[in-house]
Amino acid sequence: MRVLHSPAVVAVAVAVGIGTSACMGSTKAKDTTTTPPPGAPPGLGTYYQQQPAWRDCQGSFQCATVKVPVDYSKPGSGDLKIAMIRLPAKNKSNRIGSLLTNPGGPGGSGIEFLRGSATEFSQSLRNRFDLVGFDPRGVGASEPIQCLSDRQLDKYFATDSSPDDQSEINDLVAEGKQFAGGCKAESERLLPYVGTLNAARDIDVLRAALGDRQLSYLGISYGTYLGAAYADQFPKNVRAMVLDGAVDPKLSIEETNLQQAKGFETALKAFATDCVKQPDCPLGSDVNGALDKVSELLAQTDKTPLNNSLGDGRQVTEALAAAGIASALYLKELWPTLRLALSQAIQSRDGTLLLRLSDALVERKEDGTYSSLMEANMAVNCVDKPYPELAQFEKDAATAKKDAPRFGPFIVWGSLPCAYWSTKVTQEPRALTAAGAKPIVVVGTTRDPATPYSWAQGLSSELESGVLLSLDGDGHSAYLQHNNCITRAVDNYLIDESVPKDGTLCK
């Protein structure tokens, strides 16, 4: 199981089929609401002087593309097209500028996110900003990373990622090597250049192309890492930045995996605490007993996969069942669905609903095809940090199983393809300080499964101008949960640059 740093709203949107269209610009109409951008870095003038050709693309949205260099150290060696979408501000006479958004992943489509979630943003933001989404390099409509066929991805995600013996480890190694080899074979040109530092440089090109002298940005989950990387490289270009569901850049991959696994255990315990109070809870009336029942279900499924009534021939293996449980923990509103899915699995060995939740997590569509999410996710992660060799994975998985018994091994082994990646990474993780930037608001949720609250605390302290805003609650990220306290603080900051008090805790 490869657990994503992506917002729950994306998984839910995929599950119900929101958003299917990529965006490309065609007309030559000029946006007269923008102002000339500041000077470009040396050698990049042609990129910074672009004026996107916006066109209507369903509903009130407009779409366009912008060129960026594949390799910023050699701008003339080839270009990439970055696809964008925007929802123009309702109040044009009082428009502030663009609010660039990123939903996380890495690998999440900002285009599909904005299509499915624009109305979830407050009316205040929609009145004053053009809401802008984009597909980062290697994602969706921006020359996506390709690695495996849909059938190969089905097999990869179903493979036992909590191995009990050497044979099962060998299976994981074979799948990991195939994934890494497929990416090299299908996307070798892009693989060295899809990392977060390059994607952050792309954002500055987008800012200039949008006509904004400074960037207003809302990043969720991995989008917080992307935003922090931008602020660290371009601190003077930040107007206002919200980093919601924060990633801590200084952590090694071993620390990241273990802490994320613990985050999912914390979220599962919160679910179990709520479940045992409900009349339809299939886990009994005791929290510890409920957690044991989840463990028993996964152990039984490891021996005998659950049934699947979707008619696609897939068996619901332990890996898929664990992914389905994890998927539902991203959003508290999915807890009733998880209770039903566990009831079906425990009482009748029917894993169909768990499978649908797992499919939503990895963006597998009903026709059996996948978006670019998971391949881009792997590609970006593998070049952002150095990864250990196989022997260290075995040690890390054993440690994770002790500290996070239901999710630890799945999360650790999910990174294995990076051990065989064609592009080797040497730079070590480091804290990002964004020295000289205006105040940056970091938002954390206390029982966030995918980005533990300690990461928000860490990032806010590492950023020179970081301000911590917290939600005492469940689920992944905070702004889209429509908590009045969070919404008011974020809106006031983005619109008026009114910075919330550091350490503010919303109930």
Side-chain angles (χ1 to χ4, degrees), residues 3-11 100-111 113-114 133-137 139-140 196 199 203 217-227 242 244-247 330 361 363 371-374 376-378 380-381 450-451 476-477 480:
V3 176
L4 312 178
H5 303 298
S6 59
V9 68
V10 173
L100 198 69
T101 64
N102 180 272
S109 168
I111 290 175
F113 168 72
L114 196 62
F134 69 103
D135 284 0
R137 53 175 59 208
V139 175
T196 299
I203 287 179
Y217 178 85
L218 174 58
I220 301 173
S221 199
Y222 161 81
T224 67
Y225 181 26
L226 181 57
V242 176
D244 183 9
V247 174
Y330 275 76
L361 183 66
E363 293 193 2
S371 76
S372 66
L373 170 66
M374 296 310 301
N377 179 276
M378 192 70 72
V380 175
N381 282 324
T451 52
H476 182 37
S477 73
L480 295 177

Side-chain angles (χ1 to χ4, degrees), residues 164-288:
D164 301 310
D165 55 40
Q166 188 59 48
S167 175
E168 291 181 347
I169 291 177
N170 292 343
D171 289 342
L172 272 174
V173 169
E175 289 296 317
K177 288 180 176 179
Q178 183 180 51
F179 200 124
C183 293
K184 184 177 188 296
E186 298 294 331
S187 301
E188 186 173 15
R189 182 178 84 99
L190 290 183
L191 288 188
Y193 307 108
V194 295
T196 299
L197 294 183
N198 281 324
R201 298 195 69 174
D202 294 343
I203 287 179
D204 205 50
V205 175
L206 299 183
R207 173 199 57 75
L210 291 166
D212 294 314
R213 300 192 69 84
Q214 289 185 305
L215 177 71
S216 298
Y217 178 85
L218 174 58
I220 301 173
S221 199
Y222 161 81
T224 67
Y225 181 26
L226 181 57
Y230 176 87
D232 197 58
Q233 295 183 79
F234 304 97
K236 298 300 183 182
N237 290 357
V238 175
R239 173 190 169 273
M241 178 172 284
V242 176
L243 306 178
D244 183 9
V247 174
D248 188 344
K250 76 176 186 301
L251 300 179
S252 69
I253 189 58
E254 293 90 346
E255 292 170 321
T256 298
N257 283 342
L258 179 57
Q259 291 182 24
Q260 188 180 62
K262 290 180 179 179
F264 275 94
E265 293 287 343
T266 297
L268 181 64
K269 186 173 183 179
F271 162 77
T273 301
D274 177 79
C275 182
V276 297
K277 300 174 185 176
Q278 308 300 327
D280 61 342
C281 180
L283 303 178
S285 57
D286 173 71
V287 173
N288 289 330

Side-chain angles (χ1 to χ4, degrees), residues 40-71:
L44 298 175
T46 56
Y47 297 101
Y48 275 71
Q49 293 163 10
Q50 295 175 86
Q51 294 182 338
W54 294 100
R55 69 172 181 85
D56 294 337
C57 58
Q58 296 184 20
S60 301
F61 292 101
Q62 298 173 337
C63 296
T65 58
V66 168
K67 289 182 180 180
V68 297
V70 174
D71 182 355

Side-chain angles (χ1 to χ4, degrees), residues 87-168:
L87 183 66
K90 295 287 186 182
N91 189 344
K92 296 188 183 301
S93 63
N94 205 20
R95 174 184 175 275
I96 295 171
S98 304
L99 177 62
L100 198 69
T101 64
N102 180 272
S109 168
I111 290 175
E112 301 305 334
F113 168 72
L114 196 62
R115 280 197 180 280
S117 304
T119 56
E120 301 299 318
F121 288 78
S122 72
Q123 189 63 57
S124 298
L125 292 186
R126 285 183 281 152
N127 286 341
R128 303 295 300 279
F129 288 99
D130 296 344
L131 298 185
V132 180
F134 69 103
D135 284 0
R137 53 175 59 208
V139 175
S142 299
E143 193 168 338
I145 293 291
Q146 296 179 331
C147 304
L148 300 176
S149 69
D150 296 322
R151 286 185 176 275
Q152 287 173 323
L153 285 171
D154 278 348
K155 185 172 183 290
Y156 173 79
F157 291 123
T159 298
D160 188 343
S161 49
S162 180
D164 301 310
D165 55 40
Q166 188 59 48
S167 175
E168 291 181 347

Side-chain angles (χ1 to χ4, degrees), residues 237-490:
N237 290 357
V238 175
R239 173 190 169 273
M241 178 172 284
V242 176
L243 306 178
D244 183 9
V247 174
D248 188 344
K250 76 176 186 301
L251 300 179
S252 69
I253 189 58
E254 293 90 346
E255 292 170 321
T256 298
N257 283 342
L258 179 57
Q259 291 182 24
Q260 188 180 62
K262 290 180 179 179
F264 275 94
E265 293 287 343
T266 297
L268 181 64
K269 186 173 183 179
F271 162 77
T273 301
D274 177 79
C275 182
V276 297
K277 300 174 185 176
Q278 308 300 327
D280 61 342
C281 180
L283 303 178
S285 57
D286 173 71
V287 173
N288 289 330
L291 295 173
D292 289 341
K293 281 200 172 184
V294 173
S295 296
E296 291 168 8
L297 172 64
L298 293 174
Q300 292 168 1
T301 305
D302 186 27
K303 297 177 181 178
T304 306
L306 300 171
N307 299 318
N308 162 27
S309 63
L310 294 178
D312 57 13
R314 289 182 295 162
Q315 290 185 318
V316 185
T317 64
E318 182 188 14
L320 293 173
I325 295 170
S327 178
L329 296 177
Y330 275 76
L331 188 64
K332 190 172 183 179
E333 284 75 9
L334 286 177
W335 286 6
T337 303
L338 181 55
R339 291 199 301 271
L340 177 59
L342 291 173
S343 294
Q344 294 173 349
I346 292 170
Q347 295 169 11
S348 60
R349 302 294 297 167
D350 181 0
T352 305
L353 190 49
L354 283 175
L355 183 61
R356 288 179 63 84
L357 288 166
S358 174
D359 286 348
L361 183 66
V362 298
E363 293 193 2
R364 185 188 192 272
K365 304 169 189 175
E366 289 187 4
D367 63 2
T369 62
Y370 288 81
S371 76
S372 66
L373 170 66
M374 296 310 301
E375 290 155 308
N377 179 276
M378 192 70 72
V380 175
N381 282 324
C382 290
V383 299
D384 268 358
K385 295 182 180 183
Y387 282 74
E389 296 183 350
L390 177 62
Q392 190 61 47
F393 271 91
E394 295 186 58
K395 293 178 181 178
D396 292 343
T399 298
K401 189 169 185 177
K402 293 178 183 178
D403 294 337
R406 284 155 287 267
F407 295 107
F410 298 97
I411 291 176
V412 170
W413 285 110
S415 304
L416 186 61
C418 296
Y420 308 105
W421 212 247
S422 60
T423 302
K424 295 303 179 184
V425 181
T426 57
Q427 76 269 16
E428 293 295 328
R430 64 180 180 87
L432 301 177
T433 63
K438 291 181 178 181
I440 296 172
V441 174
V442 179
V443 187
T445 303
T446 56
R447 293 177 295 281
D448 188 317
T451 52
Y453 182 61
S454 61
W455 293 1
Q457 294 173 307
L459 179 60
S460 64
S461 66
E462 293 153 21
L463 292 168
E464 188 178 85
S465 60
V467 175
L468 180 63
L469 172 65
S470 305
L471 174 64
D472 182 6
D474 301 285
H476 182 37
S477 73
Y479 183 75
L480 295 177
Q481 292 198 39
H482 303 295
N483 174 277
N484 289 335
C485 173
I486 293 290
T487 300
R488 183 168 56 250
V490 169

